[in-house]
Amino acid sequence: MRKILLELFVCPRCLPREVPLRAAMVREDGQGIESAVLGCPACGGEFPVVEGTAYLLPEVRPLDTASPYAEPAVRSSYLWSQFADILGDAPNTAYTEWTHLLGRSASLALDCGCAAGRLTLAMGAFSELAIGVDRSPPLIIAARTLLRSGRLDFGLVVEGEITEPRTIVLPESVGRSRTEFIVADVLRLPFPGSTFSLLASMNVLDKVSDPLLHLLEVNRTAQTSAARLLFSDPFSWSPAVAPRERWLGGMTRGRFAGRGLDNVRRLLQGEHGLIGPPWRIETAGETDWTIRTHANHMERIRSQFLAATR
Ligand SMILES: C[S@@+](CC[C@H](N)C(=O)[O-])C[C@H]1O[C@@H](n2cnc3c(N)ncnc32)[C@H](O)[C@@H]1O
């Protein structure tokens, strides 16, 4: 992990108070910090850096082993979904489209819920530093392997427990030298306010237990001016993920009745008085992408996006 990240981290447990973390027991290797303990002087919380990966989850139990995203089959699905074109298996235009929508040249960039980091790596090509955050350690470890070595061997699920060995080899054009990945929660981002000039929240809103809190965190950590945001989601609301009263759409009554995209647009534009300074919506549209469960099962997903600036 690059040392510069130490200057950015705040305690995810103490938010909304922004308490900088202090590093102890720091061990470095040629790539930066290999291990350390990041401590919060206010709450006494300790967050480890292990094999170059920072674990900044707010809860006391640090590793997200209970999450469905920790399953090897889910890792296989997301790796294929993000890198199918690079694997030579299927054309996958979604990430190219989204990369075009991100615009150009950012200082610090943040990819919320980055999975194995396909879009973060693209952001690293035109940012001073792009940081991908995800709650899933297996996905962040996969992203970091790609970052360090430019390739990743994994077992692609064929059927049931049968997998076939596959290798992702990144093209030279991706921004490996200016990308970082950490394990963190998009509901409690471990960064101070007004940090990022470019932010992506792609297909994560309907995966979190408190979608409004995620948007508030995106808004808090975005610069108050000269900032760009790319948001997308398929709005697959599920009570198993978030209680209905927290959905930002898909309801026939209540504060967020109607379609998710319309409600997110209004929130970003400053309606409800929750988000500000208001964002200006530059483009809206939809992008199809595919997730593969096994050789005979692929799901086509349509994500609706908003590109915004302020
Ligand atoms: C549908 S995937 C989207 C991945 C990526 N943004 C993309 O569009 O290719 C959702 C991702 O969000 C992550 N995630 C879910 N809840 C999260 C949370 N509270 N904090 C951080 N990441 C989370 C999952 O681990 C998963 O990698």
Side-chain angles (χ1 to χ4, degrees):
M1 183 188 88
R2 279 169 187 72
K3 269 172 109 171
I4 192 175
L5 287 185
L6 292 181
E7 292 165 29
L8 291 178
F9 290 151
V10 299
C11 177
R13 276 181 214 160
C14 289
L15 289 169
R17 215 177 130 204
E18 296 179 353
V19 183
L21 294 178
R22 291 184 190 150
M25 292 190 278
V26 178
R27 251 192 45 217
E28 297 186 36
D29 60 13
Q31 318 244 6
I33 296 178
E34 208 276 330
S35 66
V37 176
L38 309 179
C40 173
C43 72
E46 290 192 335
F47 307 90
V49 180
V50 182
E51 294 178 357
T53 304
Y55 294 82
L56 291 168
L57 293 174
E59 60 271 33
V60 177
R61 188 179 57 87
L63 294 186
D64 203 14
T65 45
S67 154
Y69 298 101
E71 295 290 328
V74 176
R75 178 174 173 270
S76 160
S77 279
Y78 278 113
L79 284 169
W80 191 90
S81 150
Q82 292 197 315
F83 296 99
D85 53 339
I86 290 176
L87 284 163
D89 285 6
N92 179 1
T93 53
Y95 292 92
T96 316
E97 271 178 53
W98 290 331
T99 303
H100 283 308
L101 287 162
L102 286 168
R104 280 290 167 268
S105 59
S107 41
L108 285 178
L110 178 70
D111 185 10
C112 297
C114 61
R118 173 75 191 258
L119 199 69
T120 327
L121 287 160
M123 292 162 96
F126 55 86
S127 309
E128 282 169 24
L129 181 65
I131 305 172
V133 309
D134 201 284
R135 272 195 68 91
S136 162
L139 287 171
I140 287 295
I141 288 166
R144 292 188 64 81
T145 305
L146 279 166
L147 187 67
R148 285 188 160 200
S149 60
R151 55 186 288 140
L152 174 75
D153 300 318
F154 74 105
L156 180 66
V157 174
V158 176
E159 181 185 319
E161 294 188 349
I162 303 170
T163 59
E164 61 174 304
R166 298 297 298 270
T167 303
I168 299 165
V169 181
L170 291 181
E172 287 300 318
S173 55
V174 303
R176 276 170 55 209
S177 63
R178 291 195 302 271
T179 308
E180 267 292 350
F181 292 103
I182 64 166
V183 176
D185 194 320
V186 299
L187 302 182
R188 280 176 172 267
L189 290 167
F191 302 104
S194 306
T195 297
F196 299 100
S197 65
L198 175 65
L199 299 96
S201 166
M202 306 301 286
N203 314 311
V204 66
L205 190 80
D206 61 0
K207 300 285 177 286
V208 297
S209 58
D210 192 338
L212 178 58
L213 181 56
H214 170 53
L215 288 185
L216 296 178
E217 278 295 89
V218 165
N219 180 63
R220 178 183 68 82
T221 53
Q223 288 179 185
T224 51
S225 64
R228 299 196 305 274
L229 166 66
L230 182 61
F231 165 87
S232 92
D233 208 63
F235 302 107
S236 302
W237 303 114
S238 160
V241 176
R244 282 186 172 76
E245 59 275 17
R246 290 198 190 147
W247 295 0
L248 294 183
M251 302 291 285
T252 52
R253 64 181 81 167
R255 185 157 71 138
F256 295 113
R259 301 291 299 266
L261 190 78
D262 299 330
N263 290 327
V264 171
R265 180 198 296 265
R266 284 195 276 265
L267 277 162
L268 291 176
Q269 287 172 329
E271 279 185 40
H272 303 280
L274 297 168
I275 285 181
W279 295 82
R280 199 174 43 252
I281 307 300
E282 306 286 354
T283 329
E286 50 194 37
T287 307
D288 290 352
W289 51 290
T290 309
I291 190 151
R292 168 189 154 130
T293 317
H294 57 80
N296 302 326
H297 185 222
M298 310 210 184
E299 260 180 81
R300 194 97 177 126
I301 299 170
R302 176 154 301 162
S303 284
Q304 294 177 293
F305 68 77
L306 296 171
T309 55
R310 73 176 177 193

